[in-house]
Amino acid sequence: MMPDNDFIAEQFSLMAKLMDIHGENSFKIKSYSNAAYTIDKLSAQLSSLPHKEIFAIKGIGDAIGKKIIDILETGELRQLSELISNTPPGILEMLTIKGIGAKKIATIWKEMEIESIGELLYACNENRLTLYKGFGEKTQNNVRDSIEFYLKSRGSYLYSEAEALLLAIDKQLKNDFSNEMFEPTGAFREQMETIDRLEWVTTGQEAQLVSFFNKHEGVLLPESSSSKLIFKTPEGLPLVFHLVNKENFFRILSETTCPAFHPGVIQVTDIKGIIHTHSDWSDGSHSIEEMARECIKQGFEYLVVSDHSKSAQYAKGLYEERVMAQHQQIAALNAALAPFRIFKSIESDILNDGALDYSDEVLASFDLVIASVHSNLKMSEEKAMVRLLKAIENPFTTILGHMTGRLLLSRSGYPVDHKKIIDACVANKVVIELNAHPRRLDIDWRYIPYAMEKGALLSINPDAHSTKGYLDIKYGVLAAQKGGLTKDNNLSSFSLKELEDYLAQRRNVRNN
Ligand SMILES: [Zn+2]
Ligand SMILES: [Zn+2]
């Protein structure tokens, strides 16, 4: 079949957008977008016209006319195919997101060095977009909303997102059918880090559930059977109901979910302090005092302020003078808030060669140092290992931050040999972070048993960019439970005194 006008117009329109993203000549870009507009408005199909008449159309010059003929004959615009192959897939995907045009995508790609929608969402949540020209808070919010919608419609949810949906539906069901039993099961009950369906075991009747979901715009799927009903929500999330009677309720519950964790595993209440936070000195939303007062209110014994370091200028990372000024502020706050304590820390960038980005003298001024990779994330395992091992061997590194840089459902993280990293952390007495942000949960819980076997110390840290971020600790604990972590193996479960002793000991080892 010959390409129709819609197809040809779309090719030119995409061509104009991609040329804009690649920063090409604006005159040429305009000729492509004008051509798309003109073709879109034509009443006659280009494929039905003699070539001579195509060239004669107002707004179609010689160059565009030739390209139209090329598309009609080959079915594609050659230059467009070339441009597509020179563009990362994530950038192409961004073109489908409402609210970001080509110019903005160019900034996102070339200046922010973001190449996927997931990374872009994370940057919105870290308030990073507003640091760039043309990106106000309103734009950032629009971009975030569009991305969230887009990702949800793709079918997978972070645990934290699925949880919100599950709790809302669960509450409504228990309210409407108070005589029936409903218990969430499957991946949610197993505390999986990502979830693509919600499941319940229930004594509820088929007719009840069908009428309930008719009312709530859920569609019954044909895969349903007499023992299992499957509905789809308007957002596209499958909801599975295992129909049981009271007698076999608990048997089916245990059959549809993994065995429970052994009773000695870490609990949210075992977290005694907040480690790894960002204040408004870098890219956080709250002052150090606000962060500290919220800790006190919630019963935590200490706060570790670890703003971004100087290499992370996208996040207002701290140059040396600001480090010193921050330390003075912390000292004053500590005097005022005792016995609560704020620890002076930094999330120091691990540079390309594995070095940290301050002199030893400055590094020595912190109570503890979290070392993390934030730039040049695209690397081979070999390169990542050299870089990380060097940072782990640095005597000033206290904690290795988010080990792989992964962002769940959006970025896989650089490849590492987890066991070798764990071994090196144990040998150098470096604590391994379990970053509790629901999109990170990095180190992966699957490596916790190995880490514990080797005697590693982990730390469940919220990486909070606001006081609200403290809530993320829960997600870190849920993941840690899957790996069987105990509070004795978790630094953020140390009391203030225990943490002070631990840090003093680390300092002594370094100085001797
Ligand atoms: Zn970080
Ligand atoms: Zn951080």
Side-chain angles (χ1 to χ4, degrees):
M1 216 175 69
M2 287 289 256
D4 62 10
N5 288 4
D6 283 348
F7 176 82
I8 298 170
E10 268 168 35
Q11 299 279 293
F12 284 129
S13 164
L14 182 56
M15 183 76 190
K17 285 177 192 161
L18 287 180
M19 285 172 75
D20 209 359
I21 291 172
H22 283 266
E24 290 187 25
N25 179 304
S26 64
F27 185 75
K28 269 193 182 166
I29 295 170
K30 212 159 173 69
S31 79
Y32 280 107
S33 57
N34 285 344
Y37 181 81
T38 305
I39 295 164
D40 206 37
K41 297 268 168 292
L42 286 179
S43 48
Q45 282 296 326
L46 288 163
S47 55
S48 69
L49 299 176
H51 291 179
K52 214 172 71 193
E53 282 186 38
I54 291 177
F55 287 108
I57 297 169
K58 192 164 174 274
I60 305 283
D62 194 44
I64 295 288
K66 280 187 185 143
K67 292 195 170 72
I68 290 174
I69 291 160
D70 216 29
I71 297 172
L72 289 170
E73 283 170 358
T74 66
E76 65 160 12
L77 178 59
R78 210 166 4 97
Q79 293 87 344
L80 178 61
S81 310
E82 273 165 33
L83 214 45
I84 287 174
S85 66
N86 289 327
T87 312
I91 297 294
L92 292 170
E93 208 180 359
M94 278 178 211
L95 283 167
T96 63
I97 304 283
K98 229 176 44 199
I100 21 176
K103 287 265 184 297
K104 289 202 166 63
I105 296 177
T107 308
I108 289 164
W109 183 20
K110 300 286 158 94
E111 291 182 42
M112 304 183 198
E113 296 183 345
I114 289 172
E115 290 191 0
S116 79
I117 284 178
E119 287 174 85
L120 183 58
L121 177 61
Y122 199 75
C124 289
N125 289 333
E126 285 197 326
N127 209 20
R128 272 169 54 190
L129 263 57
T130 55
L131 303 170
Y132 292 84
K133 200 170 152 250
F135 289 83
E137 196 161 333
K138 204 171 151 214
T139 308
Q140 181 171 273
N141 288 343
N142 287 341
V143 170
R144 178 172 39 218
D145 291 348
S146 307
I147 295 176
E148 279 174 351
F149 180 83
Y150 175 80
L151 290 177
K152 271 183 194 138
S153 57
R154 281 201 315 198
S156 271
Y157 291 71
L158 293 178
Y159 178 91
S160 57
E161 298 166 334
E163 178 187 39
L165 287 164
L166 179 133
L167 293 178
I169 297 169
D170 195 61
K171 191 174 162 198
Q172 188 78 51
L173 285 167
K174 284 173 178 159
N175 181 59
D176 285 22
F177 309 111
S178 54
N179 293 327
E180 305 294 351
M181 295 160 79
F182 287 92
E183 194 60 42
T185 189
F188 179 80
R189 194 180 168 86
E190 285 168 22
Q191 302 170 193
M192 286 299 287
E193 57 270 54
T194 61
I195 285 174
D196 59 11
R197 56 177 49 209
L198 297 177
E199 297 183 54
W200 279 264
V201 174
T202 180
T203 58
Q205 306 298 305
E206 177 171 346
Q208 288 178 319
L209 289 165
V210 169
S211 91
F212 176 89
F213 282 106
N214 271 341
K215 231 174 29 195
H216 292 92
E217 293 176 62
V219 177
L220 184 65
L221 298 185
E223 301 93 285
S224 300
S225 67
S226 59
S227 63
K228 191 160 85 176
L229 296 181
I230 309 175
F231 298 93
K232 207 163 199 171
T233 66
E235 297 86 17
L237 181 69
L239 308 175
V240 180
F241 290 87
H242 302 274
L243 306 180
V244 299
N245 51 41
K246 274 205 179 89
E247 290 69 47
N248 62 8
F249 187 91
F250 290 100
R251 181 172 61 79
I252 302 292
L253 183 61
S254 70
E255 276 175 19
T256 51
T257 195
C258 255
F261 317 108
H262 76 91
V265 96
I266 192 164
Q267 304 294 320
V268 175
T269 47
D270 292 326
I271 305 296
K272 298 295 176 222
I274 299 286
I275 302 179
H276 193 163
T277 59
H278 299 267
S279 74
D280 61 2
W281 283 70
S282 69
D283 60 347
S285 317
H286 292 119
S287 68
I288 296 175
E289 182 170 357
E290 287 169 323
M291 300 289 280
R293 289 197 184 278
E294 185 61 27
C295 280
I296 294 169
K297 204 171 126 196
Q298 294 187 22
F300 292 110
E301 298 178 23
Y302 53 88
L303 167 72
V304 174
V305 174
S306 52
D307 277 309
H308 282 289
S309 62
K310 65 178 177 181
S311 305
Q313 277 312 306
Y314 62 84
K316 285 198 294 165
L318 273 58
Y319 284 108
E320 285 80 353
E321 314 81 70
R322 296 187 69 227
V323 168
M324 299 312 151
Q326 189 184 69
H327 288 181
Q328 283 179 6
Q329 189 186 86
I330 290 175
L333 282 168
N334 275 334
L337 300 175
F340 183 81
R341 180 163 172 195
I342 303 165
F343 288 91
K344 297 174 298 204
S345 183
I346 195 83
E347 186 176 16
S348 185
D349 264 43
I350 299 174
L351 302 174
N352 218 6
D353 63 358
L356 301 183
D357 61 345
Y358 293 111
S359 67
D360 284 0
E361 197 194 351
V362 174
L363 289 171
S365 73
F366 298 105
D367 295 314
L368 67 152
V369 171
I370 301 173
S372 307
V373 170
H374 290 118
S375 58
N376 301 314
L377 298 161
K378 268 195 225 139
M379 46 186 173
S380 63
E381 180 173 323
E382 196 189 358
K383 161 94 197 195
M385 290 300 287
V386 170
R387 198 172 168 189
L388 289 183
L389 290 175
K390 186 161 173 212
I392 292 165
E393 284 160 11
N394 188 314
F396 291 99
T397 301
T398 322
I399 300 176
L400 177 64
H402 44 73
M403 186 187 286
T404 72
R406 76 175 183 183
L407 296 177
L408 292 166
L409 301 180
S410 39
R411 184 172 81 196
S412 54
Y414 41 83
V416 299
D417 182 332
H418 283 81
K419 291 187 175 176
K420 275 195 187 135
I421 298 283
I422 291 166
D423 293 345
C425 285
V426 171
N428 292 280
K429 298 218 170 346
V430 167
V431 178
I432 299 167
E433 174 173 270
L434 195 173
N435 191 296
H437 191 289
R439 197 172 282 283
R440 288 194 184 269
L441 300 176
D442 187 9
I443 183 175
D444 192 299
W445 58 267
R446 291 162 187 84
Y447 294 97
I448 293 177
Y450 179 82
M452 287 187 36
E453 182 194 317
K454 294 289 164 176
L457 189 56
L458 274 73
S459 191
I460 299 173
N461 301 339
D463 200 353
H465 286 69
S466 69
T467 53
K468 214 175 114 224
Y470 299 170
L471 293 171
D472 288 344
I473 278 184
K474 181 180 99 176
Y475 302 109
V477 169
L478 293 178
Q481 289 177 337
K482 289 182 73 62
L485 189 71
T486 64
K487 63 175 196 252
D488 297 337
N489 290 76
N490 177 52
L491 187 71
S492 57
S493 294
F494 284 22
S495 67
L496 172 58
K497 174 79 171 55
E498 286 168 333
L499 181 60
E500 283 174 338
D501 290 349
Y502 175 82
L503 294 174
Q505 207 181 45
R506 287 285 329 257
R507 229 178 353 259
N508 283 339
V509 171
R510 189 169 69 218
N511 294 337
N512 293 318

